[in-house]
Structure formats: C-alpha cells, structure tokens
Coordinates of all heavy atoms in Angstrom, one line a residue:
M1 N 15.0 -11.4 -7.4 CA 14.0 -12.5 -7.2 C 13.7 -12.7 -5.8 O 12.5 -13.0 -5.5 CB 14.5 -13.8 -7.8 CG 14.7 -13.8 -9.4 SD 13.2 -13.4 -10.3 CE 12.2 -14.8 -10.0
S2 N 14.6 -12.5 -4.9 CA 14.3 -12.7 -3.5 C 13.2 -11.8 -3.0 O 12.3 -12.2 -2.2 CB 15.5 -12.6 -2.6 OG 16.1 -11.3 -2.7
V3 N 13.1 -10.5 -3.4 CA 12.1 -9.6 -3.0 C 10.7 -10.1 -3.4 O 9.8 -10.2 -2.7 CB 12.4 -8.2 -3.4 CG1 11.2 -7.2 -3.1 CG2 13.7 -7.7 -2.8
A4 N 10.6 -10.5 -4.7 CA 9.4 -11.0 -5.3 C 9.0 -12.3 -4.6 O 7.8 -12.5 -4.3 CB 9.5 -11.2 -6.8
D5 N 9.9 -13.1 -4.3 CA 9.6 -14.4 -3.6 C 9.1 -14.2 -2.2 O 8.1 -14.8 -1.8 CB 10.9 -15.3 -3.6 CG 10.6 -16.6 -3.0 OD1 9.7 -17.3 -3.5 OD2 11.3 -17.1 -2.1
V6 N 9.7 -13.2 -1.5 CA 9.3 -12.9 -0.1 C 7.8 -12.4 -0.2 O 6.9 -12.8 0.6 CB 10.2 -12.0 0.7 CG1 9.6 -11.5 1.9 CG2 11.5 -12.7 0.9
Y7 N 7.6 -11.4 -1.1 CA 6.3 -10.8 -1.2 C 5.2 -11.9 -1.5 O 4.1 -11.9 -0.9 CB 6.3 -9.7 -2.3 CG 4.9 -9.1 -2.5 CD1 4.5 -8.1 -1.7 CD2 4.1 -9.5 -3.6 CE1 3.2 -7.6 -1.8 CE2 2.9 -9.0 -3.8 CZ 2.4 -8.0 -2.9 OH 1.1 -7.5 -3.0
D8 N 5.6 -12.8 -2.5 CA 4.6 -13.8 -2.9 C 4.3 -14.7 -1.7 O 3.2 -15.1 -1.5 CB 5.2 -14.6 -4.0 CG 4.2 -15.7 -4.5 OD1 3.1 -15.4 -4.9 OD2 4.6 -16.9 -4.3
A9 N 5.3 -15.1 -0.9 CA 5.1 -15.9 0.2 C 4.2 -15.2 1.3 O 3.4 -15.9 1.9 CB 6.5 -16.3 0.9
L10 N 4.3 -13.9 1.4 CA 3.5 -13.2 2.4 C 2.1 -13.1 2.0 O 1.2 -13.2 2.8 CB 4.1 -11.8 2.6 CG 5.5 -11.7 3.3 CD1 6.1 -10.3 3.2 CD2 5.4 -12.3 4.7
V11 N 1.8 -12.9 0.7 CA 0.4 -12.7 0.3 C -0.3 -14.0 -0.2 O -1.5 -13.9 -0.5 CB 0.3 -11.7 -0.9 CG1 0.9 -10.3 -0.4 CG2 1.0 -12.1 -2.1
T12 N 0.4 -15.1 -0.1 CA -0.3 -16.3 -0.5 C -0.7 -17.1 0.7 O 0.1 -17.3 1.6 CB 0.7 -17.2 -1.4 OG1 1.2 -16.4 -2.5 CG2 0.1 -18.5 -1.8
K13 N -1.9 -17.6 0.6 CA -2.4 -18.4 1.7 C -1.8 -19.8 1.6 O -1.7 -20.4 0.5 CB -4.0 -18.6 1.6 CG -4.6 -19.4 2.7 CD -6.1 -19.4 2.6 CE -6.6 -20.5 3.6 NZ -7.5 -20.1 4.5
R14 N -1.4 -20.3 2.7 CA -0.7 -21.7 2.8 C -1.5 -22.5 3.8 O -2.3 -21.9 4.7 CB 0.7 -21.5 3.2 CG 1.6 -20.5 2.5 CD 1.9 -21.1 1.1 NE 2.6 -20.1 0.4 CZ 3.4 -20.3 -0.6 NH1 3.6 -21.5 -1.0 NH2 4.1 -19.3 -1.2
P15 N -1.4 -23.8 3.8 CA -2.1 -24.6 4.7 C -1.7 -24.3 6.2 O -2.5 -24.5 7.1 CB -1.6 -26.1 4.4 CG -1.2 -26.0 3.0 CD -0.7 -24.6 2.8
Y16 N -0.6 -23.7 6.4 CA -0.1 -23.4 7.7 C -0.1 -22.0 8.1 O 0.2 -21.6 9.2 CB 1.4 -23.9 7.9 CG 2.3 -23.4 6.8 CD1 3.0 -22.2 6.9 CD2 2.5 -24.2 5.6 CE1 3.8 -21.7 5.9 CE2 3.4 -23.7 4.6 CZ 4.0 -22.5 4.8 OH 4.8 -22.0 3.8
K17 N -0.6 -21.1 7.2 CA -0.7 -19.7 7.5 C -1.7 -19.0 6.6 O -1.9 -19.4 5.5 CB 0.6 -19.0 7.5 CG 1.1 -18.8 6.1 CD 2.2 -17.7 6.0 CE 2.5 -17.3 4.7 NZ 1.6 -16.5 4.0
D18 N -2.4 -18.0 7.1 CA -3.2 -17.1 6.3 C -2.4 -16.1 5.5 O -1.3 -15.8 5.9 CB -4.2 -16.4 7.1 CG -5.3 -17.2 7.7 OD1 -5.6 -18.3 7.0 OD2 -5.8 -16.9 8.8
A19 N -2.9 -15.7 4.4 CA -2.2 -14.6 3.6 C -2.3 -13.3 4.3 O -3.3 -13.0 4.9 CB -2.9 -14.6 2.2
L20 N -1.3 -12.5 4.1 CA -1.4 -11.1 4.6 C -2.0 -10.3 3.5 O -2.0 -10.6 2.3 CB 0.1 -10.6 4.8 CG 0.9 -11.1 6.0 CD1 2.2 -10.5 6.0 CD2 0.1 -10.9 7.3
S21 N -2.6 -9.1 3.9 CA -3.0 -8.2 2.9 C -1.8 -7.6 2.1 O -0.7 -7.7 2.6 CB -3.8 -7.1 3.5 OG -2.9 -6.2 4.3
Q22 N -2.1 -7.1 0.9 CA -1.0 -6.5 0.2 C -0.3 -5.4 1.0 O 0.9 -5.3 1.0 CB -1.5 -5.9 -1.2 CG -1.9 -7.0 -2.1 CD -2.5 -6.5 -3.4 OE1 -3.2 -5.5 -3.4 NE2 -2.1 -7.1 -4.5
R23 N -1.1 -4.6 1.7 CA -0.6 -3.5 2.5 C 0.3 -4.0 3.5 O 1.4 -3.5 3.7 CB -1.7 -2.6 3.1 CG -1.3 -1.4 3.9 CD -2.4 -0.7 4.5 NE -3.1 -1.4 5.5 CZ -2.8 -1.5 6.8 NH1 -1.7 -0.9 7.2 NH2 -3.5 -2.1 7.6
D24 N -0.2 -5.0 4.3 CA 0.7 -5.5 5.3 C 2.0 -6.2 4.8 O 3.0 -6.1 5.4 CB -0.1 -6.6 6.1 CG -1.2 -5.9 7.0 OD1 -1.2 -4.7 7.2 OD2 -2.1 -6.6 7.5
A25 N 1.8 -6.9 3.7 CA 3.0 -7.4 3.1 C 4.1 -6.4 2.7 O 5.3 -6.5 2.9 CB 2.7 -8.3 1.9
V26 N 3.6 -5.3 2.1 CA 4.5 -4.2 1.7 C 5.2 -3.6 2.9 O 6.4 -3.3 3.0 CB 3.8 -3.1 0.9 CG1 4.6 -1.9 0.7 CG2 3.5 -3.6 -0.5
E27 N 4.4 -3.4 4.0 CA 5.0 -2.9 5.2 C 6.0 -3.8 5.8 O 7.1 -3.4 6.2 CB 3.9 -2.6 6.2 CG 3.1 -1.3 5.9 CD 2.1 -0.9 7.0 OE1 2.2 -1.4 8.1 OE2 1.3 0.0 6.7
M28 N 5.7 -5.1 5.7 CA 6.8 -6.0 6.2 C 8.0 -6.0 5.3 O 9.1 -6.0 5.9 CB 6.1 -7.5 6.3 CG 7.1 -8.5 6.9 SD 6.3 -10.0 7.2 CE 5.4 -9.6 8.7
L29 N 7.8 -6.0 4.0 CA 9.0 -5.8 3.1 C 9.8 -4.6 3.5 O 11.1 -4.7 3.5 CB 8.6 -5.8 1.7 CG 8.3 -7.1 1.0 CD1 7.8 -6.8 -0.4 CD2 9.5 -8.0 0.9
M30 N 9.2 -3.5 3.7 CA 9.9 -2.3 4.0 C 10.6 -2.4 5.3 O 11.6 -1.6 5.5 CB 8.9 -1.1 4.0 CG 8.4 -0.7 2.7 SD 7.4 0.8 2.6 CE 6.1 0.6 3.7
S31 N 10.2 -3.2 6.2 CA 10.9 -3.4 7.5 C 12.1 -4.3 7.3 O 12.9 -4.5 8.3 CB 10.0 -3.9 8.6 OG 9.7 -5.3 8.3
M32 N 12.3 -5.0 6.2 CA 13.3 -6.0 6.0 C 14.6 -5.4 5.3 O 15.3 -6.1 4.5 CB 12.8 -7.2 5.2 CG 11.6 -7.9 5.9 SD 10.9 -9.2 4.9 CE 12.2 -10.4 5.1
T33 N 14.9 -4.2 5.6 CA 16.0 -3.6 4.9 C 17.4 -4.2 5.2 O 18.3 -4.1 4.5 CB 16.1 -2.0 5.2 OG1 16.2 -1.9 6.6 CG2 14.9 -1.3 4.6
N34 N 17.5 -4.9 6.3 CA 18.7 -5.6 6.7 C 18.8 -6.9 6.0 O 19.9 -7.4 5.8 CB 18.8 -5.8 8.2 CG 19.0 -4.6 8.9 OD1 19.6 -3.6 8.4 ND2 18.6 -4.6 10.2
Q35 N 17.7 -7.5 5.5 CA 17.7 -8.8 4.9 C 17.6 -8.7 3.3 O 18.1 -9.7 2.7 CB 16.5 -9.7 5.4 CG 16.6 -10.0 6.8 CD 15.9 -9.0 7.7 OE1 15.4 -8.0 7.3 NE2 16.0 -9.2 9.0
L36 N 17.1 -7.6 2.8 CA 16.9 -7.5 1.4 C 17.6 -6.3 0.9 O 17.7 -5.3 1.5 CB 15.4 -7.4 1.1 CG 14.5 -8.7 1.5 CD1 13.0 -8.3 1.4 CD2 14.9 -9.9 0.7
D37 N 18.0 -6.3 -0.4 CA 18.7 -5.2 -1.1 C 17.7 -4.1 -1.2 O 16.6 -4.2 -1.9 CB 19.2 -5.7 -2.4 CG 20.0 -4.6 -3.1 OD1 19.3 -3.7 -3.8 OD2 21.2 -4.5 -3.0
I38 N 18.0 -2.9 -0.7 CA 17.1 -1.7 -0.7 C 16.8 -1.3 -2.2 O 15.7 -0.9 -2.5 CB 17.6 -0.6 0.2 CG1 16.5 0.5 0.4 CG2 18.9 0.0 -0.4 CD1 15.5 0.1 1.4
G39 N 17.8 -1.3 -3.0 CA 17.7 -0.9 -4.4 C 16.7 -1.8 -5.2 O 15.8 -1.3 -5.9
V40 N 16.8 -3.1 -4.9 CA 15.9 -4.0 -5.6 C 14.5 -3.9 -5.0 O 13.5 -4.0 -5.7 CB 16.4 -5.5 -5.4 CG1 15.4 -6.5 -5.8 CG2 17.8 -5.7 -6.0
M41 N 14.4 -3.7 -3.7 CA 13.1 -3.5 -3.1 C 12.4 -2.2 -3.6 O 11.2 -2.3 -3.9 CB 13.3 -3.3 -1.5 CG 12.0 -3.4 -0.8 SD 12.2 -3.2 1.0 CE 13.6 -4.2 1.4
R42 N 13.1 -1.1 -3.8 CA 12.5 0.1 -4.4 C 12.1 -0.2 -5.8 O 11.0 0.3 -6.2 CB 13.6 1.2 -4.4 CG 13.7 1.9 -3.1 CD 14.6 3.1 -3.2 NE 14.9 3.6 -1.9 CZ 16.1 4.0 -1.5 NH1 17.1 4.0 -2.3 NH2 16.3 4.5 -0.3
A43 N 12.9 -0.9 -6.6 CA 12.5 -1.2 -8.0 C 11.2 -2.1 -8.0 O 10.3 -1.8 -8.8 CB 13.6 -1.9 -8.7
F44 N 11.2 -3.0 -7.2 CA 10.0 -3.9 -7.1 C 8.8 -3.1 -6.7 O 7.7 -3.2 -7.3 CB 10.2 -5.0 -6.0 CG 9.1 -5.9 -5.8 CD1 8.8 -6.9 -6.8 CD2 8.3 -5.8 -4.7 CE1 7.7 -7.7 -6.6 CE2 7.2 -6.7 -4.5 CZ 6.9 -7.6 -5.4
M45 N 8.9 -2.3 -5.7 CA 7.7 -1.5 -5.2 C 7.3 -0.4 -6.2 O 6.1 -0.1 -6.3 CB 8.0 -0.9 -3.8 CG 8.1 -2.0 -2.8 SD 7.9 -1.4 -1.1 CE 8.5 -2.8 -0.2
S46 N 8.2 0.1 -6.9 CA 7.8 1.2 -7.9 C 7.1 0.6 -9.1 O 6.4 1.3 -9.8 CB 9.1 1.9 -8.4 OG 9.8 1.1 -9.3
S47 N 7.1 -0.8 -9.2 CA 6.4 -1.4 -10.3 C 5.0 -1.9 -9.8 O 4.2 -2.4 -10.6 CB 7.2 -2.6 -10.8 OG 7.2 -3.6 -9.9
M48 N 4.7 -1.7 -8.5 CA 3.4 -2.3 -8.0 C 2.4 -1.2 -8.0 O 2.6 0.0 -7.8 CB 3.6 -2.7 -6.6 CG 4.6 -3.9 -6.4 SD 4.8 -4.3 -4.7 CE 3.2 -5.0 -4.3
I49 N 1.2 -1.6 -8.2 CA 0.0 -0.7 -8.0 C -1.0 -1.5 -7.0 O -1.6 -2.4 -7.5 CB -0.7 -0.4 -9.3 CG1 0.2 0.4 -10.2 CG2 -2.0 0.4 -9.0 CD1 -0.3 0.6 -11.6
L50 N -1.0 -1.1 -5.8 CA -1.8 -1.8 -4.8 C -3.3 -1.4 -4.9 O -4.1 -2.1 -4.7 CB -1.3 -1.6 -3.4 CG 0.0 -2.1 -3.1 CD1 0.4 -1.8 -1.6 CD2 0.1 -3.6 -3.3
Y51 N -3.5 -0.1 -5.2 CA -4.8 0.5 -5.3 C -5.1 1.0 -6.7 O -4.8 2.2 -6.9 CB -5.0 1.5 -4.2 CG -4.6 1.0 -2.8 CD1 -3.5 1.5 -2.2 CD2 -5.4 0.1 -2.2 CE1 -3.1 1.0 -0.9 CE2 -5.0 -0.4 -0.9 CZ -3.9 0.1 -0.3 OH -3.6 -0.3 0.9
P52 N -5.6 0.3 -7.6 CA -5.8 0.8 -9.0 C -6.8 2.0 -9.0 O -7.7 2.1 -8.1 CB -6.5 -0.4 -9.7 CG -6.1 -1.6 -8.9 CD -6.0 -1.1 -7.5
V53 N -6.5 2.9 -9.9 CA -7.4 4.1 -10.0 C -8.8 3.6 -10.2 O -9.1 2.6 -10.9 CB -6.9 4.9 -11.2 CG1 -7.9 6.0 -11.5 CG2 -5.5 5.6 -10.9
D54 N -9.8 4.3 -9.6 CA -11.2 4.0 -9.6 C -11.6 2.9 -8.6 O -12.8 2.6 -8.5 CB -11.8 3.7 -10.9 CG -11.9 4.9 -11.8 OD1 -12.0 6.1 -11.2 OD2 -11.8 4.9 -13.1
S55 N -10.6 2.3 -7.9 CA -11.0 1.3 -6.9 C -11.6 2.1 -5.6 O -11.1 3.2 -5.4 CB -9.9 0.3 -6.5 OG -8.8 1.0 -6.0
I56 N -12.4 1.4 -4.9 CA -13.0 2.0 -3.7 C -12.3 1.4 -2.5 O -12.1 0.2 -2.4 CB -14.5 1.7 -3.5 CG1 -15.3 2.2 -4.8 CG2 -15.1 2.2 -2.3 CD1 -15.2 3.7 -4.9
V57 N -11.8 2.3 -1.6 CA -11.1 1.8 -0.4 C -11.8 2.3 0.9 O -12.5 3.3 0.8 CB -9.6 2.3 -0.5 CG1 -8.9 1.6 -1.6 CG2 -9.5 3.8 -0.6
Q58 N -11.5 1.7 2.0 CA -12.0 2.1 3.3 C -10.8 2.9 4.0 O -9.7 2.3 4.1 CB -12.4 1.0 4.1 CG -13.0 1.3 5.5 CD -14.4 2.0 5.3 OE1 -15.2 1.6 4.5 NE2 -14.6 3.0 6.1
L59 N -11.1 4.1 4.4 CA -10.0 4.9 5.2 C -10.2 4.7 6.7 O -11.3 4.3 7.2 CB -10.2 6.3 4.8 CG -10.0 6.7 3.4 CD1 -10.2 8.2 3.2 CD2 -8.7 6.3 2.8
S60 N -9.1 4.9 7.4 CA -9.1 4.7 8.8 C -10.0 5.7 9.5 O -10.3 5.5 10.7 CB -7.7 4.7 9.4 OG -7.1 6.0 9.1
N61 N -10.4 6.8 8.9 CA -11.3 7.7 9.5 C -12.7 7.4 9.3 O -13.7 8.1 9.6 CB -11.0 9.2 8.9 CG -11.4 9.3 7.5 OD1 -11.8 8.4 6.8 ND2 -11.2 10.5 6.9
G62 N -13.0 6.1 8.7 CA -14.4 5.7 8.5 C -15.0 6.0 7.2 O -16.0 5.5 6.8
E63 N -14.3 6.8 6.4 CA -14.9 7.2 5.1 C -14.5 6.2 4.0 O -13.3 5.7 4.0 CB -14.4 8.6 4.7 CG -15.1 9.2 3.6 CD -14.8 10.7 3.4 OE1 -14.1 11.2 4.2 OE2 -15.4 11.2 2.4
K64 N -15.4 6.0 3.1 CA -15.0 5.2 1.9 C -14.6 6.3 0.8 O -15.1 7.4 0.7 CB -16.3 4.5 1.3 CG -16.6 3.3 2.1 CD -17.7 2.5 1.4 CE -18.0 1.2 2.2 NZ -19.0 0.4 1.7
A65 N -13.6 5.9 0.1 CA -13.0 6.8 -0.9 C -12.7 6.1 -2.2 O -12.5 4.9 -2.2 CB -11.8 7.5 -0.3
R66 N -12.6 6.9 -3.3 CA -12.2 6.3 -4.6 C -10.8 6.8 -4.9 O -10.5 8.0 -4.8 CB -13.2 6.9 -5.7 CG -12.9 6.3 -7.1 CD -14.0 6.8 -8.1 NE -14.2 8.2 -8.1 CZ -13.4 9.0 -8.9 NH1 -12.5 8.5 -9.7 NH2 -13.7 10.3 -8.9
V67 N -10.0 5.8 -5.4 CA -8.6 6.2 -5.7 C -8.6 6.9 -7.0 O -9.2 6.5 -8.0 CB -7.7 4.9 -5.9 CG1 -6.3 5.2 -6.3 CG2 -7.7 4.1 -4.5
V68 N -7.9 8.1 -7.0 CA -7.9 8.9 -8.3 C -6.5 9.0 -8.8 O -6.3 9.4 -10.0 CB -8.5 10.3 -8.1 CG1 -10.0 10.2 -7.8 CG2 -7.8 11.1 -7.0
K69 N -5.4 8.8 -8.0 CA -4.1 8.9 -8.5 C -3.1 8.1 -7.6 O -3.3 8.1 -6.3 CB -3.6 10.4 -8.5 CG -2.3 10.6 -9.1 CD -1.9 12.1 -9.1 CE -0.5 12.3 -9.6 NZ -0.1 13.7 -9.5
N70 N -2.2 7.4 -8.2 CA -1.2 6.7 -7.4 C 0.1 7.4 -7.4 O 0.3 8.3 -8.3 CB -1.0 5.3 -8.0 CG -2.1 4.3 -7.6 OD1 -2.2 4.0 -6.4 ND2 -2.9 3.9 -8.5
S71 N 1.0 7.1 -6.5 CA 2.3 7.7 -6.4 C 3.3 6.7 -6.5 O 3.3 5.7 -5.7 CB 2.4 8.5 -5.1 OG 3.8 8.9 -5.0
E72 N 4.3 6.8 -7.3 CA 5.4 5.8 -7.4 C 6.2 5.7 -6.1 O 6.7 4.7 -5.7 CB 6.4 6.3 -8.5 CG 7.6 5.4 -8.7 CD 8.5 5.9 -9.8 OE1 8.2 6.8 -10.6 OE2 9.6 5.3 -9.8
Y73 N 6.2 6.8 -5.4 CA 7.1 6.8 -4.1 C 6.3 6.5 -2.9 O 6.9 6.2 -1.9 CB 7.7 8.2 -4.0 CG 8.6 8.5 -5.2 CD1 8.2 9.5 -6.1 CD2 9.7 7.9 -5.5 CE1 8.9 9.8 -7.2 CE2 10.5 8.2 -6.6 CZ 10.1 9.2 -7.4 OH 10.8 9.4 -8.6
Y74 N 5.0 6.6 -2.9 CA 4.2 6.2 -1.8 C 3.1 5.3 -2.2 O 1.9 5.6 -2.3 CB 3.5 7.5 -1.2 CG 4.5 8.6 -0.8 CD1 4.6 9.8 -1.6 CD2 5.3 8.5 0.3 CE1 5.5 10.8 -1.3 CE2 6.2 9.5 0.6 CZ 6.3 10.6 -0.2 OH 7.2 11.6 0.2
I75 N 3.4 4.0 -2.5 CA 2.5 3.1 -3.0 C 1.4 2.7 -2.0 O 0.3 2.3 -2.5 CB 3.1 1.8 -3.5 CG1 3.8 1.0 -2.4 CG2 4.1 2.1 -4.6 CD1 4.2 -0.4 -2.8
L76 N 1.5 3.0 -0.7 CA 0.5 2.7 0.3 C -0.4 3.9 0.5 O -1.3 3.9 1.2 CB 1.2 2.3 1.6 CG 1.9 1.0 1.6 CD1 2.6 0.8 3.0 CD2 0.9 -0.2 1.3
R77 N 0.0 5.1 -0.2 CA -0.7 6.3 0.1 C -1.1 7.1 -1.1 O -0.5 8.1 -1.5 CB 0.2 7.2 1.0 CG 0.5 6.4 2.3 CD 1.2 7.2 3.4 NE 0.4 8.3 3.9 CZ -0.6 8.2 4.8 NH1 -0.9 7.0 5.2 NH2 -1.2 9.3 5.2
P78 N -2.1 6.6 -1.9 CA -2.5 7.3 -3.1 C -3.3 8.6 -2.8 O -3.6 8.8 -1.6 CB -3.4 6.2 -3.8 CG -4.0 5.5 -2.7 CD -2.9 5.4 -1.6
T79 N -3.7 9.3 -3.8 CA -4.7 10.3 -3.7 C -6.0 9.8 -3.9 O -6.3 9.0 -4.8 CB -4.4 11.5 -4.7 OG1 -3.1 12.0 -4.5 CG2 -5.4 12.6 -4.6
V80 N -6.9 10.1 -2.9 CA -8.3 9.5 -2.9 C -9.3 10.6 -2.8 O -9.0 11.7 -2.3 CB -8.5 8.4 -1.9 CG1 -7.6 7.3 -2.1 CG2 -8.3 9.0 -0.5
V81 N -10.5 10.4 -3.1 CA -11.6 11.4 -3.0 C -12.7 10.6 -2.2 O -13.2 9.5 -2.6 CB -12.2 11.8 -4.3 CG1 -13.4 12.7 -4.2 CG2 -11.1 12.6 -5.1
G82 N -13.2 11.3 -1.2 CA -14.3 10.7 -0.4 C -15.5 10.5 -1.2 O -16.0 11.4 -1.9
V83 N -16.1 9.3 -1.1 CA -17.3 9.0 -1.9 C -18.4 9.8 -1.6 O -19.1 10.4 -2.5 CB -17.6 7.5 -1.8 CG1 -19.0 7.1 -2.4 CG2 -16.5 6.6 -2.3
D84 N -18.7 10.0 -0.3 CA -19.9 10.9 0.1 C -19.5 12.3 0.3 O -20.3 13.2 -0.1 CB -20.4 10.3 1.4 CG -21.0 8.9 1.3 OD1 -21.6 8.7 0.2 OD2 -21.0 8.1 2.2
S85 N -18.3 12.6 0.8 CA -17.9 14.0 1.1 C -17.4 14.7 -0.1 O -17.4 16.0 -0.2 CB -16.9 14.0 2.2 OG -15.7 13.5 1.8
G86 N -16.7 14.0 -1.0 CA -16.0 14.7 -2.2 C -14.7 15.3 -1.7 O -14.0 15.9 -2.5
R87 N -14.3 15.0 -0.5 CA -13.1 15.6 0.0 C -11.9 14.9 -0.6 O -11.9 13.6 -0.7 CB -13.0 15.5 1.5 CG -11.7 16.0 2.1 CD -11.7 16.1 3.6 NE -10.5 16.6 4.0 CZ -9.9 16.4 5.2 NH1 -10.5 15.7 6.1 NH2 -8.7 16.9 5.5
V88 N -10.9 15.6 -1.0 CA -9.7 15.1 -1.6 C -8.6 14.8 -0.5 O -8.3 15.7 0.3 CB -9.0 16.0 -2.7 CG1 -7.7 15.4 -3.2 CG2 -10.0 16.2 -3.8
Y89 N -8.1 13.6 -0.4 CA -7.1 13.2 0.5 C -5.9 12.8 -0.2 O -5.8 11.8 -0.9 CB -7.5 12.0 1.4 CG -8.8 12.2 2.2 CD1 -10.0 11.8 1.7 CD2 -8.6 12.7 3.5 CE1 -11.1 12.0 2.5 CE2 -9.8 12.8 4.3 CZ -11.0 12.5 3.8 OH -12.1 12.6 4.6
N90 N -4.8 13.7 -0.2 CA -3.5 13.3 -0.8 C -2.7 12.6 0.3 O -2.0 13.2 1.0 CB -2.9 14.6 -1.3 CG -1.5 14.3 -2.0 OD1 -1.0 13.2 -1.8 ND2 -1.1 15.2 -2.9
L91 N -2.9 11.3 0.4 CA -2.3 10.6 1.6 C -0.8 10.6 1.6 O -0.2 10.4 2.6 CB -2.9 9.2 1.5 CG -4.4 9.0 1.7 CD1 -4.8 7.5 1.6 CD2 -4.9 9.6 3.0
G92 N -0.2 10.8 0.4 CA 1.3 10.7 0.3 C 2.0 12.0 0.6 O 3.1 12.0 1.0
N93 N 1.3 13.2 0.4 CA 2.0 14.4 0.5 C 1.4 15.4 1.4 O 2.1 16.4 1.8 CB 2.1 15.1 -0.9 CG 3.0 14.3 -1.8 OD1 4.1 13.8 -1.4 ND2 2.6 14.1 -3.1
D94 N 0.1 15.3 1.8 CA -0.5 16.2 2.7 C -0.3 15.8 4.1 O -0.9 14.8 4.6 CB -2.0 16.3 2.4 CG -2.8 17.4 3.1 OD1 -2.2 18.0 4.0 OD2 -3.9 17.6 2.7
L95 N 0.4 16.6 4.9 CA 0.6 16.3 6.3 C -0.7 16.2 7.2 O -0.8 15.6 8.2 CB 1.5 17.4 7.0 CG 3.0 17.3 6.5 CD1 3.8 18.4 7.1 CD2 3.6 16.0 6.7
K96 N -1.8 16.9 6.7 CA -3.0 16.8 7.4 C -3.6 15.4 7.3 O -4.4 15.0 8.1 CB -4.0 17.8 6.8 CG -3.7 19.2 7.0 CD -4.7 20.1 6.3 CE -4.1 21.5 6.3 NZ -4.9 22.4 5.3
C97 N -3.1 14.6 6.4 CA -3.6 13.2 6.1 C -2.6 12.2 6.7 O -2.8 11.0 6.5 CB -3.8 13.0 4.6 SG -5.0 14.1 3.9
A98 N -1.6 12.6 7.5 CA -0.6 11.7 8.0 C -1.2 10.6 8.8 O -0.6 9.5 8.8 CB 0.5 12.5 8.7
S99 N -2.2 10.8 9.5 CA -2.8 9.8 10.4 C -3.8 8.9 9.7 O -4.3 8.0 10.3 CB -3.4 10.4 11.6 OG -4.5 11.2 11.3
I100 N -4.2 9.2 8.5 CA -5.2 8.4 7.8 C -4.5 7.4 6.9 O -3.6 7.7 6.2 CB -6.0 9.3 6.9 CG1 -6.7 10.4 7.7 CG2 -7.0 8.5 6.0 CD1 -7.4 11.4 6.9
I101 N -4.9 6.1 7.0 CA -4.4 5.0 6.2 C -5.5 4.3 5.5 O -6.7 4.5 5.9 CB -3.6 4.0 7.1 CG1 -4.4 3.3 8.1 CG2 -2.4 4.7 7.7 CD1 -3.8 2.2 8.8
I102 N -5.2 3.5 4.6 CA -6.2 2.6 3.9 C -6.2 1.3 4.7 O -5.2 0.7 4.9 CB -5.8 2.4 2.5 CG1 -5.9 3.8 1.7 CG2 -6.7 1.4 1.8 CD1 -5.5 3.7 0.3
L103 N -7.4 0.9 5.1 CA -7.5 -0.3 5.8 C -7.5 -1.5 4.9 O -7.8 -1.5 3.8 CB -8.8 -0.3 6.7 CG -8.9 0.9 7.7 CD1 -10.2 0.9 8.4 CD2 -7.7 0.8 8.7

C-alpha cells in the first residue's frame, strides 16, 4: 500500500503543491529503492499503463507519435510510430532510441 500511497500523493494536486506528471512520479518512485520495497514497486509498476495504445504522445525529438505497444518492463518507454513520418521507435529496446523520451 505504501507504494500506491506515495504514487497517489505525487500525482495528486494539493493546495500546497502541484501534481507531478505520471512519468515524473514513476521516475521518482524508481529512485526511492532505499525507502520502498523493490518487489512491491515492480509489481505496482507492472500493473500500470501510462501510455494507452493509440494515445498520441510528444517525443523529445519534437515528433508526435502514436503508442502501438506497451512493455511490462519499460513502462516509460513504449513502442510508438511517428504520426507524420511513420517511423517506428521502440523506446524500450532499441539503443538508437536511448536518448528519446516521452515528454
């Protein structure tokens, strides 16, 4: 429950703080391995879908892309296809895409 509670606290706007994006909240959770149980964290993250299939995302290279496939192990790095270019970016497994993130 602590992992879900921390995630909820991070993504919820409060009178005293703005909400973090889901991506930023997941990155913060991943940095909390000393405070949270890593097995519970993995289980929680494997149940999450941050970028549903067919959603449109903005890539750090300036291109808009459509999500075509999610990865259980790389929830921040799905496979996407450039809307205009048709280029496939396998953000989780292709080393050529290592510097590209979803904004």
Side-chain angles (χ1 to χ4, degrees):
M1 292 303 290
S2 61
V3 173
D5 185 52
V6 169
Y7 178 80
D8 181 63
L10 293 171
V11 298
T12 302
K13 181 178 169 122
R14 308 287 176 155
Y16 52 87
K17 72 162 192 74
D18 287 332
L20 291 180
S21 70
Q22 291 177 321
R23 181 181 67 83
D24 289 342
V26 166
E27 286 188 11
M28 186 169 285
L29 276 177
M30 289 189 302
S31 73
M32 299 176 73
T33 55
N34 290 334
Q35 295 88 4
L36 300 170
D37 182 277
I38 191 79
V40 174
M41 193 182 313
R42 282 187 188 138
F44 177 77
M45 292 199 195
S46 71
S47 69
M48 296 179 70
I49 298 175
L50 295 183
Y51 307 109
V53 170
D54 287 332
S55 60
I56 302 297
V57 296
Q58 182 72 40
L59 301 178
S60 60
N61 67 358
E63 189 168 1
K64 285 188 180 178
R66 183 173 56 87
V67 177
V68 295
K69 183 179 179 187
N70 282 292
S71 170
E72 176 182 350
Y73 302 107
Y74 304 108
I75 65 170
L76 295 174
R77 302 187 66 74
T79 300
V80 299
V81 175
V83 171
D84 295 326
S85 70
R87 181 170 178 206
V88 176
Y89 298 92
N90 184 338
L91 300 177
N93 293 317
D94 187 348
L95 291 178
K96 295 176 192 166
C97 298
S99 65
I100 300 172
I101 62 168
I102 294 176
L103 302 176

